Amino acid sequence: MRINAKQLATRRLREEAVYQYKALRSAVDWTVMLYLIIPGIFFAIIGYRSLWTDAFPVWIEYMPASVVAALLFLCARRGNIRVLVQEADVLFLRQKENWVHTLTRVGCLYSMALDAIISVLAYVTVLPIGIRSFGWTWTAWTGLLLFHLSYSILWSFINNRIQISFAGWRRWLIKWGVTAAGGALYVLLALRCNQLTWLLFGCAVLVAAIIVVFMRSRIQRVNAFEQDIIVEGKQRMRLTGLLLQNTLEKSPWFRMRRPMLFRHSNHVFSSRKPHMVVAELAIKSVYRSNLQLKTMLQFLGAGLVAVLLTPATIKIIVYVGLTLLIWYWMQGDWNDFVKSAYVKMFRWREEDLQAAKSIAVYGMMLPLTLVLGLITGLLIQGVWGGIFALPVSALFGWIIVQTIGAIDIRK
């Protein structure tokens, strides 16, 4: 069956969607995510509605507009251009420049559409804060959105051009030089959007014209085919790399003679019964791992954002959900520990392993639950709320481990 260039481009976009879905499906337990995504959407809608109707949290009231502008700028510079070429194309497709042009054109339109969706979502998210806290008018917000959208698309073309044209320190220097200059201009215009509204509209039109020039140049450029394949491969594996970044230990920049935590191998528990020893080993194995610590800090940051952005009436529900997620996560770490080669070197009795499980899982999750509980209490009732939340968080974690911890849903 013979196909034309447009059909080939459509098929590759479809294959790209299937590949990304399979990568996501292989890394995520959808049975569990279903219980997180649906409540997450529900709480996000309630939280967004509260930004329009309720009083802002204190941290939003004191947040400067420059921070919001900087975050929007970071969102704008995340993009790149897809050209839909593959390694095997070097055998025959490189000889058909019109096919390469078509693939590149479709890839550019796909990338621009993706940038447009992300830009609209970002500005709709900050819309209540901008209007109620920073005094944006609807006209200023529209101008900012159009400027942001055009800037985001332009950055995608510039980023792609830098990646295929330069290497090594030159690529790094040019990329961050352009980022610094563009970021300064972006933040300056965003902070004065009410006074420079029509300038924003003019900048958006000017940038759109520049985008047309960049797009024509990008479509006609076929002399960087090998670099296009490399850049396209990196973009294709971007989601997979993000999903797998916390699954393998990386060589640290510098090696420490001792781990950051539990440096002197002191006993965690005074009792030296077999099940207490196993629990102690499991806890140390988690908190001595740089990979685990990095993942915990990332989860803690995401959890704190979730607690900060939700209304006071929802914060406790969010905390309960995060605690259950931590428990589920540490169940998996316990299973990995039990199956490790180190543990199998010793002949532990099954009853000792079962007795150690609840103690180990509780010890692994306790620091995270205490920090999240402390922040939740501080946000709801101030200092006394935070103090009260510490023992309540510790008790709640123990109740979870003892009541539903016997159910191993990770098997």
Side-chain angles (χ1 to χ4, degrees):
M1 179 180 178
R2 301 184 63 180
I3 61 175
N4 56 38
K6 290 184 179 179
Q7 291 173 332
L8 177 61
T10 303
R11 188 174 74 179
R12 289 193 172 176
L13 285 177
R14 186 167 55 249
E15 291 173 349
E16 170 75 10
V18 172
Y19 173 80
Q20 300 298 343
Y21 170 76
K22 288 182 177 179
L24 201 60
R25 185 177 179 180
S26 65
V28 175
D29 188 338
W30 288 102
T31 304
V32 176
M33 287 302 295
L34 184 64
Y35 294 100
L36 298 176
I37 293 174
I38 295 178
I41 294 175
F42 174 74
F43 291 137
I45 294 174
I46 294 178
Y48 186 75
R49 180 178 177 275
S50 70
L51 291 177
W52 285 106
T53 58
D54 301 338
F56 281 148
V58 177
W59 66 272
I60 291 183
E61 294 180 353
Y62 288 97
M63 182 172 59
S66 57
V67 173
V68 176
L71 292 176
L72 290 172
F73 165 70
L74 293 177
C75 177
R77 64 169 296 275
R78 50 149 297 280
N80 206 327
I81 292 297
R82 303 294 300 273
V83 293
L84 304 181
V85 296
Q86 297 179 0
E87 292 84 350
D89 294 341
V90 72
L91 298 175
F92 69 97
L93 197 60
R94 190 176 182 182
Q95 311 304 322
K96 299 182 178 181
E97 290 191 2
N98 58 327
W99 281 52
V100 177
H101 293 165
T102 301
L103 288 174
T104 305
R105 184 182 301 109
V106 174
C108 290
L109 293 175
Y110 165 77
S111 303
M112 293 165 65
L114 191 61
D115 284 338
I117 294 173
I118 295 174
S119 297
V120 171
L121 288 176
Y123 264 79
V124 169
T125 300
V126 302
L127 176 60
I129 300 176
I131 290 180
R132 296 184 60 194
S133 182
F134 303 145
W136 291 354
T137 64
W138 284 96
T139 304
W141 176 80
T142 305
L144 270 174
L145 174 60
L146 293 176
F147 173 72
H148 176 91
L149 174 58
S150 59
Y151 181 91
S152 178
I153 295 174
L154 179 61
W155 169 258
S156 296
F157 281 100
I158 293 175
N159 188 30
N160 182 263
R161 177 63 64 88
I162 293 173
Q163 287 185 320
I164 66 176
S165 302
F166 302 96
W169 64 270
R170 292 183 180 85
R171 176 191 297 173
W172 184 89
L173 183 62
I174 294 174
K175 178 179 179 179
W176 289 106
V178 173
T179 299
L185 176 63
Y186 184 100
V187 173
L188 177 63
L189 291 175
L191 292 179
R192 302 187 62 187
C193 61
N194 284 332
Q195 295 81 25
L196 304 175
T197 300
W198 296 109
L199 179 60
L200 288 173
F201 282 102
C203 288
V205 174
L206 177 61
V207 173
I210 298 174
I211 289 172
V212 173
V213 176
F214 267 87
M215 184 173 177
R216 290 174 61 90
S217 174
R218 172 66 270 199
I219 293 173
Q220 296 297 324
R221 184 165 185 171
V222 295
N223 59 343
F225 197 83
E226 290 79 7
Q227 284 299 113
D228 281 338
I229 291 175
I230 295 174
V231 174
E232 182 69 13
K234 291 180 179 179
Q235 291 300 309
R236 180 181 175 85
M237 298 298 295
R238 195 173 183 178
L239 177 60
T240 305
L242 181 64
L243 293 172
L244 298 178
Q245 66 174 344
N246 289 335
T247 59
L248 297 175
E249 289 275 6
K250 297 181 181 179
S251 298
W253 292 355
F254 62 92
R255 293 189 177 275
M256 302 175 63
R257 297 184 60 184
R258 295 178 179 177
M260 186 176 299
L261 301 178
F262 302 112
R263 298 172 61 88
H264 302 287
S265 297
N266 295 332
H267 297 322
V268 177
F269 306 112
S270 58
S271 174
R272 306 317 296 162
K273 294 180 180 180
H275 70 281
M276 300 297 290
V277 173
V278 176
E280 178 179 302
L281 292 175
I283 295 171
K284 287 183 176 180
S285 70
V286 169
Y287 285 95
R288 281 176 170 172
S289 170
N290 292 332
L291 179 61
Q292 289 282 6
L293 290 176
K294 177 184 175 182
T295 307
M296 287 181 181
L297 291 175
Q298 291 174 344
F299 179 89
L300 188 61
L304 293 178
V305 170
V307 173
L308 285 170
L309 294 179
T310 50
T313 55
I314 308 296
K315 292 185 189 299
I316 296 178
I317 301 177
V318 173
Y319 170 76
V320 171
L322 290 172
T323 303
L324 290 172
L325 184 58
I326 294 171
W327 164 79
Y328 173 79
W329 172 16
M330 295 309 168
Q331 283 260 116
D333 284 346
W334 165 259
N335 289 340
D336 293 339
F337 171 77
V338 172
K339 296 175 183 177
S340 65
Y342 173 74
V343 174
K344 290 183 177 180
M345 290 174 57
F346 307 95
R347 295 183 178 180
W348 301 102
R349 296 184 303 172
E350 186 64 27
E351 52 267 29
D352 290 333
L353 294 177
Q354 288 298 324
K357 178 181 176 180
S358 59
I359 300 173
V361 172
Y362 180 70
M364 294 174 189
M365 63 186 290
L366 184 60
L368 290 176
T369 56
L370 287 179
V371 174
L372 289 173
L374 174 63
I375 300 300
T376 303
L378 288 173
L379 292 173
I380 295 176
Q381 290 293 336
V383 176
W384 289 109
I387 295 175
F388 178 74
L390 288 175
V392 172
S393 300
L395 179 61
F396 179 64
W398 182 250
I399 292 174
I400 290 178
V401 171
Q402 291 299 314
T403 54
I404 62 177
I407 306 174
D408 190 355
I409 61 177
R410 297 298 294 252
K411 286 185 178 180

